[in-house]
Amino acid sequence: MSLPQDPIMLLSYVNTQLRDNYSSLEDFCASFDADRKELEEKLRAVNYEYDPQKNAFV
């Protein structure tokens, strides 16, 4: 499955997956074969940063 391209849809999808299925962003990226840096850059562009304490983009 490919990840959503729209940044807000991507944010919602990733945070839901992190909450429900993955204990870290690293696990999520490995499972989806996603480039972590690229993912973080896309979400940073809409003012969201990954918080490892919350395991979510906030």
Side-chain angles (χ1 to χ4, degrees):
M1 175 181 180
S2 63
L3 295 175
Q5 294 302 305
D6 176 78
I8 301 304
M9 294 299 294
L10 179 63
L11 170 69
S12 177
Y13 183 77
V14 171
N15 275 345
T16 299
Q17 290 295 313
L18 289 170
R19 182 192 68 217
D20 295 346
N21 302 311
Y22 298 95
S23 61
S24 69
L25 184 56
E26 293 82 17
D27 290 344
F28 172 85
C29 288
S31 180
F32 282 84
D33 195 27
D35 182 292
R36 179 181 174 152
K37 185 176 180 179
E38 183 179 314
L39 178 64
E40 288 185 289
E41 287 174 2
K42 279 185 180 181
L43 295 179
R44 192 174 297 118
V46 289
N47 299 315
Y48 285 87
E49 296 277 340
Y50 180 67
D51 181 340
Q53 298 287 339
K54 295 180 180 180
N55 191 36
F57 283 88
V58 294

